[in-house]
Amino acid sequence: MLFCTQKKCVFFQNVNTLQHIQANLKAGQTTLTNIVEQYLVRIEETQDLNVYVEVFAAEARQRAAELDRKLAETPNQIGRLFGVVLSIKDVLCYKGHKVTAASKILEGFESLYTATAVERLLAEDAIIIGRTNCDQFAMGSTNENSVYGPTLNAADPTKVPGGSSGGSAVSVQADTCLLSLGSDTGGSVRQPAAFCGLVGLKPTYGRISRYGLLAYASSFDQIGIFGKSVEDVALLLEIMAGEDKMDSTSSRKAVEAYAIHTDYTKKAKIAYFDTAINHTSIDPDIRQQTLAFIDRLKADGHRVEAVDFPYLDYIIPAYYVLTTAEASSNLSRYDGIRYGYRHPEAGTLQETYEKSRSEGFSKEVKRRIMLGTFVLSAGYYDAYYAKAQKVRRLIQDKTKEILSEYDFILMPTSPSPAFDLGEKTKDPVAMYLADIYTVQANMTGIPAINLPLGTHKSGLPIGIQLMANMFEEADLLAFSKYIEQLNRQQV
Ligand code: GLN
């Protein structure tokens, strides 16, 4: 792997899951202070990848020292995430820290409160090492739409890491932290996880509170998790999930013990779509490796069947109508008055709005605000917005029907491996179309996960995606763990 000399990698190869880290800490073989220092060195070494927007070095060191003392003095009181060092995407609020959604319009803005998900992690003794680069307001699939410039893929720095949570993905890929939080509105955790060879989970809509997550499209957004092992991702979910009074869309459903409920002994019933595997946009090697994976599952006794899903080509248009509509409304709050950037030369109120928004948002964000405003406008509402809602319902009904018969839906995560930098920036529609396999889960609210599948013939990582029924994360994660083991046996 690039940016990782043999010597430097030994630490991370041996100590790359929380279980290992905690065992080492408890046995006195290392300290959190030490671990944080190692990560800070990695951050320094990988600066060229442009992963972090801000590193909380002093704070992480101080917290590590405090937690080391806690272990020494009151070992029975350490939290379940003692030993976890994580990064958070620049769309999550963390009190007293800046949050900008990689935009100019939020320049200088500081969070007034902490996102519920982040607060729950801190309460279990996690350490946050910094905030990561992303596409502006989580809109994009490459991390190139950022006021801070693109993040580069650590497997090959001429490639994008995927997006929008590209910085979060690379922060884990390049061993600058153990885990990372991103957000997933249409694939922004799963697709970068696929491009960077990681586990990436988007939970059921409402499973994790969105309080403190800067909104892009509120009926699609979910906080997601990046990690190198299913077990660590499951533990983070378990701790963040659950009802929150501050988010009325958070579910009251009981949180299961995702982290220990991880033995899958059943034979699964899995559906896949011919239309997806044979889509014109799919890379031949990804197609072939997906089919080979299906054969492996069958050989292991699972029932894997092709089912009819006639709506694949309607998913992207409906998604981009609905999400831009929601975004146009959500982003109206950034008016040059209440938050962050205000144009210095604006005279009147109207000028303040116009100039601050024109300069504060990127081209892509403005394109989406305009598109969203258009599809909601009186003359076009029925033709676009209302129609897309109907398509969403059709997709939901069909997905539900399939998942009443099957445990999982299996799909490639992305039709291609990581793109070249700049490859898709001139053609927004080509960029949108690359989301073809990930948006179904957000359109329907179901949980979905990317698991590393192997290596493309170009040498880049590729992933496989599994979706399950609403709130079936326990089963999804258990099966993912089984796949993780299956893949390990192959290597
Ligand atoms: N690429 C998709 C978009 O641009 C997904 C983004 C996301 O999940 N935040 O909308």
Side-chain angles (χ1 to χ4, degrees):
M1 189 179 110
L2 253 112
F3 298 101
C4 197
T5 65
Q6 265 329 67
K7 195 161 160 258
K8 279 171 199 151
C9 266
V10 172
F11 168 78
F12 296 105
Q13 263 160 20
N14 297 334
V15 196
N16 58 5
T17 66
L18 181 57
Q19 213 184 1
H20 284 125
I21 293 176
Q22 282 185 344
N24 282 359
L25 285 166
K26 285 180 189 162
Q29 277 163 5
T30 187
T31 61
L32 257 175
T33 300
N34 242 327
I35 291 174
V36 165
E37 286 311 324
Q38 304 248 25
Y39 284 133
L40 289 171
V41 169
R42 285 296 296 154
I43 291 175
E44 200 61 38
E45 285 170 352
T46 55
Q47 255 186 16
D48 291 350
L49 300 176
N50 200 20
V51 177
Y52 286 85
V53 166
E54 190 183 357
V55 180
F56 308 141
E59 194 184 314
R61 282 188 173 115
Q62 193 193 335
R63 204 164 142 79
E66 279 164 20
L67 289 169
D68 278 333
R69 264 199 308 280
K70 188 170 177 183
L71 178 67
E73 287 162 14
T74 50
N76 295 333
Q77 281 168 31
I78 57 164
R80 292 179 74 193
L81 297 182
F82 182 87
V84 167
V85 176
L86 79 143
S87 67
I88 56 174
K89 184 177 179 179
D90 188 28
V91 291
L92 283 157
C93 293
Y94 183 15
K95 192 175 176 174
H97 298 75
K98 293 200 171 70
V99 60
T100 70
S103 73
K104 184 178 165 81
I105 199 113
L106 276 172
E107 197 177 78
F109 179 74
E110 221 172 71
S111 296
L112 301 169
Y113 56 85
T114 301
T116 302
V118 174
E119 209 154 75
R120 289 182 182 177
L121 299 182
L122 291 171
E124 289 292 346
D125 290 344
I127 296 177
I128 299 175
I129 201 155
R131 63 189 166 101
T132 49
N133 203 353
C134 57
D135 283 301
Q136 193 167 124
F137 285 99
M139 296 174 187
S141 311
T142 61
N143 209 130
E144 292 166 298
N145 176 30
S146 161
V147 79
Y148 308 105
T151 295
L152 312 180
N153 193 318
D156 177 350
T158 67
K159 306 284 178 186
V160 302
S164 62
S165 317
S168 292
V170 182
S171 72
V172 177
Q173 180 193 28
D175 292 316
T176 69
C177 57
L178 183 69
L179 292 150
S180 184
L181 295 190
S183 65
D184 191 314
T185 304
S188 279
V189 167
R190 288 158 288 149
Q191 183 253 28
F195 283 8
C196 296
L198 302 169
V199 178
L201 174 72
K202 180 205 89 78
T204 306
Y205 181 76
R207 183 66 300 187
I208 297 176
S209 163
R210 290 180 294 114
Y211 181 66
L213 166 69
L214 302 194
Y216 160 14
S218 310
S219 75
F220 294 75
D221 296 342
Q222 253 303 276
I223 291 173
I225 309 156
F226 291 95
K228 286 195 170 168
S229 78
V230 173
E231 198 173 297
D232 286 353
V233 167
L235 179 62
L236 234 61
L237 174 69
E238 190 178 315
I239 286 163
M240 290 188 289
E243 192 190 356
D244 175 18
K245 295 268 178 299
M246 303 307 284
D247 173 6
S248 62
T249 65
S250 67
S251 171
R252 292 199 187 139
K253 245 185 150 54
V255 175
E256 292 171 66
Y258 304 120
I260 52 169
H261 184 287
T262 41
D263 263 350
Y264 198 89
T265 45
K266 295 177 275 185
K267 292 298 170 199
K269 280 190 288 177
I270 304 165
Y272 69 93
F273 309 152
D274 264 338
T275 43
I277 304 278
N278 295 320
H279 201 268
T280 47
S281 67
I282 196 170
D283 168 273
D285 196 33
I286 291 190
R287 181 173 179 275
Q288 193 267 322
Q289 292 204 43
T290 305
L291 288 170
F293 180 68
I294 289 174
D295 285 343
R296 245 159 69 208
L297 290 176
K298 283 184 183 162
D300 222 25
H302 304 286
R303 209 173 101 197
V304 193
E305 292 170 352
V307 300
D308 193 35
F309 186 76
Y311 304 123
L312 199 65
D313 285 324
Y314 299 94
I315 292 188
I316 293 290
Y319 168 85
Y320 277 95
V321 168
L322 296 172
T323 51
T324 55
E326 293 189 22
S328 71
S329 160
N330 273 328
L331 271 59
S332 64
R333 75 191 69 176
Y334 305 110
D335 53 8
I337 294 184
R338 285 175 288 185
Y339 307 90
Y341 177 69
R342 181 178 305 168
H343 196 283
E345 280 145 33
T348 64
L349 183 64
Q350 188 62 28
E351 254 177 48
T352 304
Y353 291 158
E354 267 177 34
K355 289 193 168 165
S356 307
R357 282 169 70 83
S358 298
E359 270 192 27
F361 290 128
S362 73
K363 199 170 162 188
E364 179 60 24
V365 171
K366 282 185 278 194
R367 181 174 8 251
R368 295 192 190 202
I369 292 173
M370 286 191 278
L371 187 59
T373 308
F374 174 77
V375 300
L376 287 174
S377 60
Y380 297 98
Y381 186 94
D382 287 341
Y384 294 103
Y385 185 72
K387 187 79 157 260
Q389 290 286 31
K390 289 179 189 161
V391 175
R392 186 177 197 181
R393 174 51 67 89
L394 279 175
I395 291 166
Q396 275 168 347
D397 288 349
K398 185 71 192 168
T399 306
K400 218 179 190 173
E401 185 192 311
I402 295 169
L403 285 170
S404 67
E405 237 181 279
Y406 293 88
D407 301 313
F408 307 111
I409 296 172
L410 182 146
M411 191 110 92
T413 304
S414 164
S416 73
F419 326 128
D420 287 335
L421 280 159
E423 186 183 326
K424 298 224 191 276
T425 43
K426 297 258 159 355
D427 186 351
V429 175
M431 177 98 81
Y432 300 166
L433 287 171
D435 297 334
I436 182 160
Y437 300 137
T438 45
V439 296
Q440 183 182 2
N442 308 76
M443 289 283 269
T444 56
I446 60 175
I449 194 165
N450 173 76
L451 298 167
L453 181 62
T455 310
H456 186 259
K457 64 177 183 335
S458 62
L460 292 166
I462 55 173
I464 190 85
Q465 180 182 209
L466 281 169
M467 293 174 242
N469 229 327
M470 299 288 278
F471 298 103
E472 295 288 350
E473 274 89 350
D475 244 22
L476 179 66
L477 289 161
F479 194 65
S480 297
K481 191 156 182 204
Y482 151 80
I483 289 177
E484 195 174 47
Q485 278 152 5
L486 193 72
N487 280 343
R488 225 170 261 152
Q489 286 161 16
Q490 286 271 310
V491 188

